[in-house]
Amino acid sequence: MNIQISRGELLSALQSVIGVVERRQSLPILGNLLLEAKDDRLSLTGTDLELQVERMVRVQNLAPGRITAPARKLHDICRGLPEGAMLSLEYADNKLTLKSGRSRFALATLPAEEFPVFSTDPTDVQLELSNRELKDLLARTQFAMAQQDVRYYLNGLLLEIRPGRLRTVATDGHRLAMAELNRELSAKKDTQVILPRKTVIELQRLLDVSDAPVKLSLTSNQIQVDLEDLRLTSKLIEGRFPDYERVIPEDSDKIIKCGRLKVRAALSRAAILSNEKFRGVRLTLEADTLRIQTQNPEQEEAEEEVEIEYNGAPLEIGFNVSYLLDALDAIEGEEFIFKLRSPDASGLIHDAAQASGKFVVMPMRL
């Protein structure tokens, strides 16, 4: 293999795939990237055996070939070179030599044949949407995923496909986030799959806010996401996601309309003096007034009052303030609706202008 490429193009490609490479590896080969030069293209592939990312970049190809090289060393060397530099990568005598100007680096390699590449199964479902649409669906729900929960199916995000609708749902058992895209999609088959947490985070990082197309291909145990010059392939989480529609409150009789930024700012200030472990906040509802109160073991207290639209019966209820802030951050509109029923019933938050995103928060005793 012998190629020439600009420092900027190689660094961009390396940054696309480096996120999948774990710093601590059970197998040495997993710390490497697979580099394959063919025609006028170089493909770079990284994997952790559960997730694989492949990026294509144009190069001047003097001699085709394939080899694996240390991912982070290659990335750090490239990042440290001056902007606008031209690089050459040449493999010979079990070394990958990178040259740029007067700089020269010889990296140890491992055979390409040892690199574990995902097999591709027949596709069951395909659909296409834009970068912007998929990124928005993930952003509005990914924060509610569980972390290292024994209920492994909660450590991911549900992707649900129905005729004319695509939903993402995440829950950690204490809160739930749901986002929805309502339009006709190319997929004709009802499908539910659970994406692993790391896959969701990597997708969120790789997607942009453009209208460029993204193609999703689903098999019985994998999802493949194709962007313009990048392909992400991931195993799916096996298991059955909870019946999330059952936990979305439908009979709330106390409905509040609030300014999102105003309430968010008041919650943020009050949270400074909340209990650092439990993060509890007490909300007291009265006519057109929301009172927010927190206290901590040091006997410190905070109280905020916010003007709202509310004419129901008085109510006092406790929540985890971090959960409320996360839900408000996922709403784009200037006003939101907060639906409540009683001190021991879940609250429902959604944008006042449209309810394509819903956020359910369990109450807590204070």
Side-chain angles (χ1 to χ4, degrees):
M1 184 172 76
N2 186 356
I3 61 170
Q4 293 183 350
I5 184 173
S6 72
R7 177 255 188 194
E9 290 182 323
L10 181 58
L11 181 59
S12 173
L14 288 167
Q15 288 172 336
S16 296
V17 299
I18 198 71
V20 75
V21 180
E22 299 287 354
R23 291 189 180 275
R24 295 183 178 181
Q25 298 291 350
S26 56
L27 299 171
I29 194 73
L30 297 180
N32 282 17
L33 295 178
L34 175 64
L35 309 177
E36 184 170 6
K38 187 177 180 181
D39 300 327
D40 63 345
R41 297 264 180 158
L42 172 69
S43 71
L44 301 92
T45 306
T47 186
D48 64 359
L49 298 181
E50 299 293 323
L51 173 63
Q52 175 181 292
V53 178
E54 179 185 3
R55 170 76 187 272
M56 302 288 290
V57 62
R58 289 189 179 276
V59 296
Q60 183 181 355
N61 188 0
L62 304 178
R66 58 199 302 263
I67 194 63
T68 77
R72 298 203 177 272
K73 290 177 182 177
L74 189 58
H75 172 265
D76 291 347
I77 290 168
C78 189
R79 187 175 59 179
L81 291 170
E83 291 187 20
M86 288 299 297
L87 318 178
S88 71
L89 288 170
E90 184 175 2
Y91 171 68
D93 300 326
N94 296 322
K95 299 284 186 182
L96 181 68
T97 302
L98 186 155
K99 296 179 183 177
S100 177
R102 296 185 178 183
S103 301
R104 177 182 175 276
F105 306 88
L107 298 170
T109 62
L110 290 171
E113 293 71 26
E114 296 180 10
F115 193 84
V117 178
F118 280 25
S119 60
T120 53
D121 297 330
T123 299
D124 293 331
V125 176
Q126 280 191 333
L127 68 148
E128 191 172 293
L129 63 164
S130 71
N131 268 252
R132 187 195 313 273
E133 289 170 330
L134 182 56
K135 189 177 182 72
D136 178 63
L137 287 172
L138 298 178
R140 288 195 285 156
T141 49
Q142 57 90 19
F143 62 85
M145 293 186 293
Q147 296 189 52
Q148 299 179 332
D149 198 296
V150 293
R151 297 163 293 179
Y152 57 91
Y153 47 82
L154 298 185
N155 301 320
L157 181 141
L158 177 71
L159 189 70
E160 182 182 77
I161 303 165
R162 296 282 187 270
R165 187 187 79 194
L166 176 65
R167 273 183 181 173
T168 54
V169 186
T171 180
D172 60 8
H174 302 285
R175 55 174 169 176
L176 179 144
M178 184 196 81
E180 189 172 270
L181 174 65
N182 291 296
R183 69 172 179 81
E184 285 301 322
L185 300 163
S186 53
K188 303 301 181 185
K189 182 179 177 182
D190 288 2
T191 306
Q192 279 194 346
V193 297
I194 307 174
L195 309 184
R197 180 183 184 86
K198 184 175 178 179
T199 300
V200 174
I201 292 171
E202 276 302 296
L203 265 177
Q204 185 76 346
R205 185 177 71 87
L206 294 168
L207 292 165
D208 56 33
V209 292
S210 72
D211 292 323
V214 179
K215 186 169 78 172
L216 305 183
S217 303
L218 299 169
T219 71
S220 58
N221 61 355
Q222 284 185 4
I223 182 171
Q224 183 176 292
V225 183
D226 286 294
L227 308 179
E228 184 179 6
D229 53 5
L230 184 142
R231 170 173 290 176
L232 179 147
T233 309
S234 171
K235 293 182 180 179
L236 299 170
I237 294 178
E238 295 182 3
R240 186 172 181 82
F241 200 80
D243 184 0
Y244 65 89
E245 292 184 318
R246 290 181 58 187
V247 305
I248 298 176
E250 298 291 346
D251 54 352
S252 304
D253 58 350
K254 297 173 177 61
I255 300 175
I256 313 153
K257 189 174 183 180
C258 321
R260 183 177 68 87
L261 295 178
K262 184 167 57 176
V263 172
R264 194 202 180 286
L267 286 170
S268 296
R269 291 191 296 267
I272 297 169
L273 298 185
S274 66
N275 185 308
E276 292 183 5
K277 183 177 180 181
F278 300 108
R279 302 285 286 165
V281 59
R282 178 180 284 105
L283 305 183
T284 303
L285 286 175
E286 296 172 351
D288 292 331
T289 302
L290 171 65
R291 184 177 299 110
I292 301 168
Q293 296 169 301
T294 58
Q295 61 183 38
N296 59 33
E298 288 76 38
Q299 305 302 313
E300 296 172 322
E301 298 179 354
E303 182 173 317
E304 296 269 353
E305 276 197 8
V306 182
E307 186 177 340
I308 60 172
E309 292 183 28
Y310 179 68
N311 57 11
L315 175 69
E316 189 173 282
I317 188 170
F319 289 105
N320 182 312
V321 67
S322 297
Y323 296 170
L324 297 178
L325 290 170
D326 284 342
L328 294 181
D329 285 340
I331 293 174
E332 295 182 353
E334 295 182 1
E335 293 186 314
F336 71 97
I337 301 295
F338 199 176
K339 297 181 179 179
L340 299 165
R341 187 174 76 245
S342 66
D344 56 357
S346 299
L348 175 65
I349 298 172
H350 64 80
D351 194 313
Q354 45 87 24
S356 63
K358 294 182 179 180
F359 309 95
V360 180
V361 187
M362 295 277 289
M364 64 185 297
R365 294 188 181 277
L366 297 175

